[in-house]
Amino acid sequence: MAANNDSSSEGERASWARRHSWRNWNTVERVLAALAALIAVITGVVVAAKFFTKETPMEKEQALVQELRPGQAFTRATQIMKESPHYSRNLPSGNALYQYDREWERIQLLVNPSSGEVLSVGIYADNMEFHPKIKSAAGEVILNRDSLFEFGDPTFAFGSCGAHTSSYYEAHPNMAGAGGGGSAAIGVTDSKRGSVEIMQGVCGVLWPGRELECIPNSFEAANSGPARQIECLSSPQVVDLRKKVKVTSVILSRESQLTADMFNNPYEVARGNQ
């Protein structure tokens, strides 16, 4: 009888072990399935996040523009741009001007041929949706968003409205206490012929048929005698204009003073080509 009882007990234990082994396997299988489902959900979320946060071509271009700095080697600037300039011009001063015509903007690099150093970087937005954030001596500026008025009174201003090219700049030279010094000019430029939405606000107020005497029509004239401009820039009409008009172009320099070489209309450098 004892042998039979032992045999029965062993059978019950084996049966119990088989049942619990099956239950344990089912539990493990369910856990693995749940983990697989969780991983699938997480993967889907990551993929969706990457899809929805992926930079657009314009956003990539905005980031690229922010890498350009005066003081860089010209070779470094071309590496950032990933292509050679589309236009070049030798200036009477001996400096060289290089220009890129991009999809949303034009970029100018003023270069000292002897040292290969970029003396200034000019960025000119052609598309009103192009919003690069540029650090300058005058302060951080977002093109097509910030108004001229936000950067305070300039040292001098100049501009002109013509049949083919128009521009208006406010100069902030010798900004010793701003971001390590340097100079900047902010303004509006129709770097592509026919960009009337960019310049119409400026030309309609400052130049209703002719340049106002208090706003010189060239850098040379403004830089030599800016005294009379203060009265013009502080007039209610011009103050209202400066509050409304958005900055579409910026010129950056590490030099304490701006120079005429830094102001070449992109449309003219491109010889009128679009």
Side-chain angles (χ1 to χ4, degrees), residues 176-241:
S183 303
I186 57 175
V188 283
T189 307
D190 62 340
S191 80
K192 283 193 174 181
R193 185 176 180 180
S195 302
V196 292
E197 71 275 14
I198 292 178
M199 285 301 300
Q200 62 184 357
V202 179
C203 291
V205 173
L206 289 182
W207 301 280
R210 66 180 182 86
E211 289 86 353
L212 295 180
E213 291 183 0
C214 63
I215 299 292
N217 61 9
S218 69
F219 170 83
E220 291 84 355
N223 192 36
S224 63
R228 290 197 60 207
Q229 297 180 57
I230 303 302
E231 180 182 352
C232 181
L233 291 171
S234 61
S235 67
Q237 186 183 30
V238 176
V239 168
D240 185 59
L241 167 76

Side-chain angles (χ1 to χ4, degrees), residues 12 29 31 61 75 120 156 180 186 192 201 225:
E12 289 175 357
E29 192 174 45
V31 170
E61 185 74 4
T75 52
S120 69
F156 60 89
I186 57 175
K192 283 193 174 181

Side-chain angles (χ1 to χ4, degrees), residues 204-274:
V205 173
L206 289 182
W207 301 280
R210 66 180 182 86
E211 289 86 353
L212 295 180
E213 291 183 0
C214 63
I215 299 292
N217 61 9
S218 69
F219 170 83
E220 291 84 355
N223 192 36
S224 63
R228 290 197 60 207
Q229 297 180 57
I230 303 302
E231 180 182 352
C232 181
L233 291 171
S234 61
S235 67
Q237 186 183 30
V238 176
V239 168
D240 185 59
L241 167 76
R242 297 180 66 240
K243 287 180 178 180
K244 292 179 180 178
V245 172
K246 306 299 182 184
V247 177
T248 67
S249 58
V250 59
I251 296 172
L252 312 174
S253 173
R254 287 207 312 178
E255 305 298 315
S256 62
Q257 298 298 322
L258 297 163
T259 67
D261 280 3
M262 300 173 186
F263 299 92
N264 288 270
N265 190 285
Y267 176 78
E268 294 177 348
V269 173
R271 303 177 183 90
N273 298 318
Q274 294 299 311

Side-chain angles (χ1 to χ4, degrees), residues 25-81:
W25 171 250
N26 282 345
T27 300
V28 171
E29 192 174 45
R30 286 195 294 270
V31 170
L32 291 175
L35 286 173
L38 180 60
I39 291 171
V41 170
I42 293 173
T43 302
V45 170
V46 170
V47 170
K50 287 183 178 180
F51 177 81
F52 287 111
T53 60
K54 184 179 179 181
E55 282 187 323
T56 66
M58 182 181 287
E59 288 171 336
K60 290 181 179 179
E61 185 74 4
Q62 290 171 174
L64 178 147
V65 165
Q66 294 170 22
E67 293 185 50
L68 295 171
R69 296 282 188 277
Q72 286 176 332
F74 178 57
T75 52
R76 172 56 185 153
T78 57
Q79 288 174 351
I80 292 172
M81 298 305 297

Side-chain angles (χ1 to χ4, degrees), residues 58-108:
M58 182 181 287
E59 288 171 336
K60 290 181 179 179
E61 185 74 4
Q62 290 171 174
L64 178 147
V65 165
Q66 294 170 22
E67 293 185 50
L68 295 171
R69 296 282 188 277
Q72 286 176 332
F74 178 57
T75 52
R76 172 56 185 153
T78 57
Q79 288 174 351
I80 292 172
M81 298 305 297
K82 298 182 175 65
E83 63 175 341
S84 298
H86 303 128
Y87 301 97
S88 63
R89 174 182 287 184
N90 293 321
L91 303 177
S93 64
N95 292 326
L97 186 71
Y98 298 93
Q99 179 168 304
Y100 291 90
D101 286 5
R102 308 282 281 190
E103 183 173 355
W104 299 283
E105 85 286 4
R106 299 200 197 201
I107 294 172
Q108 288 184 349

